[in-house]
Amino acid sequence: MRTAALIAFLLLPAPAFAGGVAPLVTGGFHTETVAYYSSQTSEGVKIPDQAAYPNYKQTEYIGDVGSGLELVVGDRDDLIQGVFRGYWMMDMPQHVPNPREGEVVDPSALISAPRDSVKHMGIGTVGIQWGVVRAANNKFRFALGVNVGAAFATKDHTEFLLAQAGGNVNYAVTRTVEVFADLDYGLRVHKTLSHGIYATAGVRIMFD
């Protein structure tokens, strides 16, 4: 009986694990709202009470760059694959606001405190990619992808939800090496909505 059980165990199909790992780089830009105040009225009259200073807001386009790792779940020949990404990202400094004409009379009346240093974050996302086109003997693949996650590690406690959607281009250099590039629309959610464009590229090492 024990011998029969051992033979049956050995004949069971072994679980197959397929996927890949990839170093990646990313970069793009997103919007941020910067507040500023005027210490005088539009007529040039000095306002004595700081609490009464008019408040204005300006949308700025802020660059960002990053690098990290991607893990792929799924066979290299599958049209649908799962993707996990963990990476560091750095936002560039904000700019001193450039008021529209009529909002402040004199640039010396402008009071603002933009973030003047880079901002470092740890980001993790999970997603899925759907292959829609194959070409060049299946070496080339175009896919649509969605990634959802968060900036979960920040120094100033400004963690945010991150959602990305866009297209993916993948090319198989060899059976085990692929290069890829993504171009995504990105949405950040932290008190307000921030819109952006993100590009990601990397080299996947695939395994069965």
Side-chain angles (χ1 to χ4, degrees):
M1 185 66 181
R2 292 179 179 176
T3 302
L6 178 60
I7 293 174
F9 175 79
L10 293 175
L11 292 177
L12 287 174
F17 297 96
V21 61
L24 63 84
V25 293
T26 183
F29 67 89
H30 62 280
T31 60
E32 290 187 11
T33 300
V34 179
Y36 63 99
Y37 301 84
S38 174
S39 61
Q40 63 187 29
T41 66
S42 58
E43 291 79 21
V45 179
K46 182 74 174 180
I47 302 174
D49 184 5
Q50 292 185 2
Y53 286 176
N55 175 235
Y56 305 95
K57 293 182 179 179
Q58 181 170 290
T59 299
E60 297 184 351
Y61 294 93
I62 307 298
D64 46 65
V65 296
S67 62
L69 286 176
E70 174 190 84
L71 299 178
V72 179
V73 178
D75 188 87
R76 61 174 62 86
D77 296 322
D78 291 344
L79 286 178
I80 299 179
Q81 295 175 327
V83 177
F84 168 78
R85 290 174 177 172
Y87 54 98
W88 154 84
M89 177 176 280
M90 180 178 71
D91 285 353
M92 300 303 175
Q94 296 175 338
H95 315 297
V96 175
N98 181 22
R100 294 185 293 271
E101 184 178 357
E103 289 184 340
V104 291
V105 175
D106 193 317
S108 63
L110 186 149
I111 300 174
S112 67
R115 175 175 52 80
D116 58 1
S117 61
V118 297
K119 177 180 176 181
H120 300 278
M121 299 162 287
I123 293 181
T125 64
V126 294
I128 191 169
Q129 293 182 349
W130 293 272
V132 293
V133 174
R134 284 188 180 275
N137 295 322
N138 290 331
K139 289 182 175 294
F140 170 85
R141 184 188 68 187
F142 176 76
L144 299 177
V146 175
N147 298 286
V148 178
F152 60 87
T154 64
K155 290 184 177 180
D156 55 358
H157 305 290
T158 54
E159 292 80 8
F160 56 83
L161 171 71
L162 175 64
Q164 298 173 312
N168 166 270
V169 176
N170 190 89
Y171 183 78
V173 180
T174 68
R175 177 172 171 76
T176 58
V177 178
E178 300 177 351
V179 293
F180 72 91
D182 294 0
L183 183 63
D184 298 305
Y185 160 78
L187 178 68
R188 296 185 180 192
V189 182
H190 175 76
K191 297 182 179 179
T192 60
L193 300 181
S194 170
H195 307 274
I197 298 295
Y198 299 86
T200 305
V203 179
R204 290 173 177 159
I205 308 301
M206 305 298 294
F207 53 84
D208 291 328

